[in-house]
């Protein structure tokens, strides 16, 4: 039996699942179901990526330990998938001990083979991406993903000799045109490989900076870089090296990712596999981004779509159908509830639901609800049969090549042709004329085509497809359904069985009403965002005027910003307050600012705060900052004023 292994990225647990995560996982689920129907033995993996800086920061924000935090958020992902009708075979967490062991084993193997070395590196580190950027990769000095300023970090670390495999990788991509698809991403990777020598990959983080990770097996002062850890989930989940699943499913794997993580999957991962002695994966399938109102989803814009809200309101199947239908795999697409409702009305309620309820009620009326015997087929019938055969064939080829929207379109060509066929063959006239033989043929032709449509829809809309097949009165076991045979098969629907008509499965949505609802919800969200932007902070207890005058606030200029040698969260700053010597002030601003952000800035300082020692260094004064909904802003003077200017 042919085997099929499909994976999603393992999602970071620093945020709740949203539309983007749901999309990738729904695609993987659809692919699994489709390949099951194509007769393959399947394995579908998803999970969560739980190590690294980001997670530690998120846990701190939530005032819990990293372990407590990852347990909580990982569970949200794990619980969401069944609610969206997703049937993954395994859910992996990078904190699983079996996974950690695989990471260590592979590291040791690559280290022993001489492809990991110790060296020093300085680079622009983005905490959001958990990776270093080269000067060239930054856009106006900012991280291209997060538009934030990365921090320049120089430290000793372990490196993986990625550059050694550059030529091999290039050749492999050239020899295997489907290795990375669609083509635009393959080209992007090839041009990256052509643009110069790959840098070796820094695969460790010193424990002095980060402890939350898998310890290097050959140096316990370091933990593994999250990507080297995370990518290995694809083999650890199969119980590499001895597991049955590993023997069965590797290397025939298809990875699904979005364009944001193309480089780790197209460059780090295959070179890691090569160095560790694995066969490369089969395909990397790269999709675009879902945008909302043409912008990236973001918490601060308040436009993050919660998948469960949509699925609860419209049903899992409509939600899945919309996502697969409206995004051309590889390109970005815009999500809107209105577009979803319009798809439901046009393609599900009008085209599909209506076809079923119309035809089934005719069978009920003209044949007492029993599938009639077809007589002789006419040219029009044969044309329709031919179209049905082509639709099935195209659908299968397109789904095999992750071109879901086109695949659905080819099925809808058949649905639309069936609707036309009802009108042109005029069953009501045949009934009136008493031409039962012809009427039976027309009805049977339609029912058999509808059966084909319904079973092909199962990977996309499992529950609805099952209901549609049940309405046709047949038993349906998707795993036993032989999809490839459906291209040629005719006459599978047994004559004489009883159909079970029901109402239109897809109700029409009142678009005007929905628009009003959305308008109101948008207004409410904007008002809530405004409120959140100026967080209500508890007023402090009143003080006497004399107390206030005791506070000496002065404008200063930041001359030096360095890391506090013993306290991870503190900067050691030197601030010019117009005095003989700059003041040393220790500031806990690292979470929100980089050294470059602060250097040279005018700040407002509480100048007469008594000096105090923090971890061995004296701090004399305090720089003031404003807490905002998004983080922090430094308090400053609106124009340039001499250092030491007093506020009053
Ligand atoms: N943890 C890494 C992946 C490691 S895999 C070995 C990671 N996690 S993530 O939580 O940021 O997930 C990124 C993935 O989520 C994308 O590649 C994509 O699959 C999905 N999406 C997140 N936002 C998306 C959109 N707006 N649109 C479509 N999918 C997106 O990166």
């Amino acid at each position: 039996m042919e085997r099929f292994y499909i994976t999603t990225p393992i999602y970071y647990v620093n945020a709740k699942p949203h539309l983007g995560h749901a999309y990738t996982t729904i695609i993987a689920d659809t692919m699994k179901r489709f390949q099951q129907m194509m007769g393959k033995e399947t394995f579908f993996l998803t999970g969560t990526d739980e190590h690294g800086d980001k997670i530690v920061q998120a846990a701190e924000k939530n005032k819990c330990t990293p372990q407590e935090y990852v347990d909580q958020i990982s569970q949200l992902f794990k619980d969401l998938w069944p609610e969206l009708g997703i049937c993954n075979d395994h859910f992996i967490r990078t904190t699983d001990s079996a996974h950690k062991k695989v990471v260590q084993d592979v590291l040791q193997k690559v280290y022993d083979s001489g492809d990991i070395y110790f060296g020093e590196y300085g680079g622009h580190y983005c905490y959001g991406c958990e990776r270093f950027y080269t000067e060239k990769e930054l856009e106006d000095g900012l991280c291209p993903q997060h538009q934030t300023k990365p921090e320049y970090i120089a430290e000793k670390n372990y490196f993986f000799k990625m550059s050694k495999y550059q030529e091999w990788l290039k050749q492999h991509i050239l020899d295997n045109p489907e290795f990375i698809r669609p083509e635009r991403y393959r080209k992007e990777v090839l041009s990256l490989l052509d643009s110069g020598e790959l840098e070796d990959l820094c695969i460790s983080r010193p424990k002095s900076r980060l402890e939350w990770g898998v310890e290097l097996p050959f140096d316990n002062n370091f933990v593994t870089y999250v990507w080297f850890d995370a990518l290995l989930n694809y083999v650890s989940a199969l119980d590499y090296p001895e597991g049955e699943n590993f023997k069965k499913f590797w290397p025939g794997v298809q990875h699904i990712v979005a364009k944001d993580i193309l480089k780790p999957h197209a460059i780090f991962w295959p070179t890691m596999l090569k160095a560790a002695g694995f066969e490369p994966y089969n395909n990397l399938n790269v999709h675009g981004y879902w945008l909302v109102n043409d912008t990236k989803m973001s918490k601060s814009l308040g436009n993050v779509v919660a998948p469960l809200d949509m699925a609860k309101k419209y049903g899992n199947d409509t939600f899945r159908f919309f996502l697969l239908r409206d995004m051309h795999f590889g390109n970005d697409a815009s999500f809107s509830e209105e577009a979803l409702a319009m798809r439901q009305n046009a393609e599900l309620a009008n085209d599909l639901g209506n076809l079923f309820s119309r035809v089934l009620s005719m069978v009920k009326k003209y044949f007492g609800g029993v599938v009639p015997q077809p007589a002789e087929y006419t040219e029009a019938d044969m044309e329709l049969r031919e179209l049905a055969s082509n639709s099935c064939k195209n659908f299968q080829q397109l789904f095999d090549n992750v071109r879901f929207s086109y695949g659905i379109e080819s099925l809808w060509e058949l649905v639309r042709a069936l609707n036309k066929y009802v009108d042109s063959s005029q069953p009501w006239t045949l009934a009136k004329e008493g031409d039962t033989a012809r009427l039976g043929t027309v009805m049977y032709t339609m029912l058999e085509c509808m059966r084909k449509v319904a079973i092909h829809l199962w990977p996309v809309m499992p529950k609805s497809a099952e209901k549609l097949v049940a309405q046709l009165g047949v038993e349906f076991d998707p795993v036993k359904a032989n999809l490839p045979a459906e291209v040629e098969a005719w006459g599978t629907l047994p004559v004489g069985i009883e159909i079970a008509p029901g109402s239109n499965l897809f109700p029409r949505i009142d678009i005007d009403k929905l628009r009003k609802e959305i308008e109101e919800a948008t207004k409410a969200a904007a008002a809530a965002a405004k409120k959140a932007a100026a967080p209500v902070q508890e007023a402090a207890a009143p003080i006497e005027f004399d107390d206030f005058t005791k506070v000496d606030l002065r404008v200063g200029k930041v001359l030096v910003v360095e890391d506090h040698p013993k306290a991870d969260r503190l900067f050691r700053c030197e601030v010019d307050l117009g005095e003989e010597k700059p003041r040393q002030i220790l500031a806990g601003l690292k979470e929100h600012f980089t050294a470059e952000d602060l250097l040279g800035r005018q700040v407002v300082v509480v100048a007469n705060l008594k000096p105090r020692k923090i971890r061995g260094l004296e701090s004399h004064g305090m720089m003031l900052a404003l807490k905002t909904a998004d983080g922090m802003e430094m308090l400053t003077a609106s124009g340039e004023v001499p250092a030491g200017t007093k506020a009053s």
Side-chain angles (χ1 to χ4, degrees):
M1 196 183 211
E2 237 187 290
R3 305 219 162 90
F4 179 81
Y5 174 28
I6 185 111
T7 70
T8 72
I10 46 170
Y11 304 112
Y12 286 130
V13 289
N14 62 337
K16 290 183 189 164
H18 61 58
L19 172 70
H21 307 122
Y23 174 66
T24 315
T25 317
I26 286 170
I27 291 182
D29 185 66
T30 302
M31 283 287 270
K32 176 204 156 95
R33 290 172 187 267
F34 168 68
Q35 297 293 354
Q36 255 180 339
M37 293 182 93
M38 295 297 279
K40 297 185 190 163
E41 183 180 357
T42 57
F43 191 79
F44 163 21
L45 174 70
T46 187
T48 43
D49 187 354
E50 305 184 2
H51 289 128
D53 292 311
K54 263 204 253 206
I55 310 300
V56 177
Q57 283 167 12
E60 274 168 9
K61 244 189 197 157
N62 284 277
K63 301 193 172 44
C64 57
T65 64
Q67 190 62 56
E68 284 164 352
Y69 180 72
V70 297
D71 286 348
Q72 205 179 313
I73 308 283
S74 177
Q75 197 62 40
L76 292 181
F77 279 90
K78 205 171 180 176
D79 291 345
L80 174 65
W81 304 139
E83 293 214 53
L84 292 178
I86 285 162
C87 294
N88 47 302
D89 295 292
H90 185 52
F91 186 95
I92 188 157
R93 302 180 56 186
T94 52
T95 48
D96 292 342
S97 54
H99 168 78
K100 291 197 259 186
K101 169 139 192 348
V102 170
V103 173
Q104 291 187 324
D105 289 351
V106 172
L107 276 166
Q108 189 67 53
K109 199 169 170 191
V110 181
Y111 183 71
D112 291 343
S113 71
D115 279 348
I116 288 177
Y117 64 91
F118 196 54
E120 187 166 89
Y121 182 75
H124 303 274
Y125 191 76
C126 170
Y127 284 92
C129 301
E130 306 235 5
R131 58 167 279 211
F132 284 103
Y133 278 95
T134 60
E135 204 80 51
K136 249 194 331 198
E137 286 175 310
L138 299 178
E139 285 171 4
D140 296 330
L142 303 180
C143 159
Q145 289 294 332
H146 294 89
Q147 300 301 314
T148 49
K149 196 162 185 190
E151 188 173 330
Y152 189 83
I153 296 182
E155 63 193 12
K156 283 207 154 57
N157 265 311
Y158 285 88
F159 291 84
F160 161 53
K161 284 188 192 163
M162 199 157 73
S163 54
K164 179 173 158 189
Y165 298 101
Q166 181 164 0
E167 276 314 304
W168 164 81
L169 178 59
K170 193 176 146 192
Q171 201 51 51
H172 187 77
I173 297 174
L174 290 172
D175 293 344
N176 297 278
E178 293 287 297
F179 186 59
I180 299 166
R181 60 188 186 182
E183 180 64 16
R184 57 191 285 195
Y185 296 110
R186 176 174 181 260
K187 280 198 182 133
E188 198 176 313
V189 174
L190 281 173
S191 77
L192 218 145
L193 290 171
D194 278 336
S195 68
E197 198 182 329
L198 277 184
E199 286 191 27
D200 287 342
L201 184 65
C202 176
I203 52 122
S204 64
R205 296 291 178 262
K207 274 198 188 162
S208 55
R209 184 151 73 76
L210 174 75
E211 286 201 23
W212 183 243
V214 182
E215 198 173 88
L216 292 187
F218 41 81
D219 188 340
N220 61 10
N221 292 313
F222 291 85
V223 293
T224 313
Y225 168 46
V226 268
W227 274 104
F228 204 97
D229 161 4
L231 286 161
L232 285 166
N233 89 88
Y234 300 133
V235 290
S236 70
L238 298 179
D239 303 325
Y240 163 81
E242 295 304 330
E244 262 312 293
N245 278 339
F246 183 70
K247 288 176 196 147
K248 267 188 180 174
F249 291 104
W250 193 267
V253 56
Q254 302 239 358
H255 296 306
I256 302 196
V257 297
K259 60 183 184 179
D260 56 334
I261 50 177
L262 175 64
K263 189 172 174 186
H265 282 83
I267 297 187
F268 303 176
W269 183 222
T271 54
M272 278 167 65
L273 288 169
K274 180 78 181 157
F278 292 89
E279 288 291 308
Y281 53 76
N282 261 14
N283 305 95
L284 179 65
N285 303 290
V286 188
H287 64 76
Y289 249 52
W290 277 102
L291 306 172
V292 174
N293 301 327
D294 295 323
T295 13
K296 226 172 152 172
M297 273 183 281
S298 98
K299 230 167 147 186
S300 53
L301 290 175
N303 65 350
V304 179
V305 177
L308 211 50
D309 290 355
M310 287 299 119
K312 279 200 175 133
K313 189 159 172 189
Y314 296 97
N316 276 338
D317 283 357
T318 295
F319 182 55
R320 291 168 68 110
F321 179 82
F322 172 77
L323 294 182
L324 288 158
R325 182 76 171 115
D326 261 51
M327 178 178 267
H328 287 287
F329 195 92
N331 299 350
D332 289 348
S334 208
F335 182 89
S336 84
E337 199 177 329
E338 195 178 321
L340 186 152
M342 306 241 271
R343 277 275 179 218
Q344 156 119 346
N345 282 357
E347 295 190 336
L348 296 178
N350 281 7
D351 292 347
L352 182 68
N354 218 11
L355 172 72
F356 270 73
S357 58
R358 241 176 124 193
V359 173
L360 293 173
S361 64
M362 285 182 201
V363 176
K364 182 122 200 192
K365 190 164 163 199
Y366 305 138
F367 293 98
V370 171
V371 175
Q373 175 78 45
E376 223 170 285
Y377 290 106
T378 64
E379 210 175 296
D381 306 335
M382 292 311 284
E383 262 174 37
L384 190 66
R385 277 174 59 170
E386 168 102 19
L387 185 91
S389 166
N390 285 336
S391 289
C392 296
K393 190 165 79 198
N394 293 339
F395 175 93
Q396 291 173 22
Q397 270 171 7
L398 289 161
F399 263 52
D400 214 16
N401 290 308
V402 292
R403 301 181 67 196
F404 306 106
S405 183
Y406 291 107
I408 294 173
E409 175 56 27
S410 70
L411 212 55
W412 249 250
E413 277 168 22
L414 175 58
V415 172
R416 287 191 293 259
L418 282 165
N419 276 316
K420 274 200 195 131
Y421 177 88
V422 185
D423 294 334
S424 63
S425 51
Q426 304 208 341
W428 46 92
T429 312
L430 297 172
K432 222 195 249 161
E433 290 167 354
D435 191 349
T436 318
R438 177 72 198 134
L439 185 60
T441 312
V442 167
M443 287 294 136
Y444 187 86
T445 304
M446 282 193 292
L447 291 171
E448 176 67 344
C449 289
M450 283 154 57
R451 188 190 61 78
K452 286 179 189 279
V453 170
I455 65 171
H456 277 82
L457 265 181
W458 186 74
V460 181
M461 312 175 80
K463 285 273 168 304
S464 308
E466 282 160 21
K467 283 187 193 153
L468 292 174
V469 179
Q471 288 192 351
L472 295 169
V474 272
E475 299 252 316
F476 176 50
D477 178 354
V479 182
K480 288 197 191 126
N482 184 349
L483 218 48
E486 283 297 336
V487 174
E488 296 300 334
W490 188 261
T492 307
L493 184 71
V495 170
I497 60 161
E498 223 171 299
I499 54 154
S503 53
N504 187 334
L505 279 185
F506 309 99
R508 277 191 67 81
I509 295 159
D510 181 339
I511 299 285
D512 286 338
K513 198 170 143 219
L514 177 67
R515 276 193 193 127
K516 275 193 201 122
E517 259 174 52
I518 295 174
E519 211 174 293
E520 271 159 31
T522 315
K523 272 191 206 150
K530 208 167 161 194
K531 217 168 155 195
V536 184
Q537 285 160 1
E538 254 177 59
I543 55 166
E544 296 300 332
F545 185 73
D546 282 353
D547 290 332
F548 165 66
T549 55
K550 284 181 199 156
V551 184
D552 186 8
L553 294 177
R554 286 176 190 265
V555 174
K557 187 164 188 161
V558 183
L559 303 181
V560 173
V561 186
E562 290 173 356
D563 289 344
H564 186 301
K566 288 196 191 132
D568 276 356
R569 291 155 186 280
L570 297 185
F571 280 129
R572 189 194 77 81
C573 304
E574 288 179 23
V575 182
D576 178 12
L577 283 177
E579 299 164 333
E580 211 172 287
K581 261 176 48 192
R583 294 270 191 105
Q584 171 167 286
I585 300 178
L586 306 178
L589 296 170
K590 272 191 165 174
E591 201 181 318
H592 301 283
F593 301 95
T594 63
E596 286 85 354
D597 290 337
L598 297 174
L599 206 62
R601 290 207 30 181
Q602 279 197 145
V603 286
V604 177
V605 174
V606 182
N608 60 336
L609 205 60
K610 277 191 187 151
R612 63 182 181 131
K613 268 202 170 165
I614 309 177
R615 295 268 188 118
L617 289 185
E618 187 180 87
S619 182
H620 190 189
M622 181 194 275
M623 295 191 271
L624 295 181
L626 303 169
K627 268 201 186 127
T628 66
D630 291 335
M632 267 196 172
E633 294 277 341
M634 292 308 292
L635 189 62
T636 185
S638 57
E640 189 77 20
V641 294
T645 303
K646 191 170 158 47
S648 57

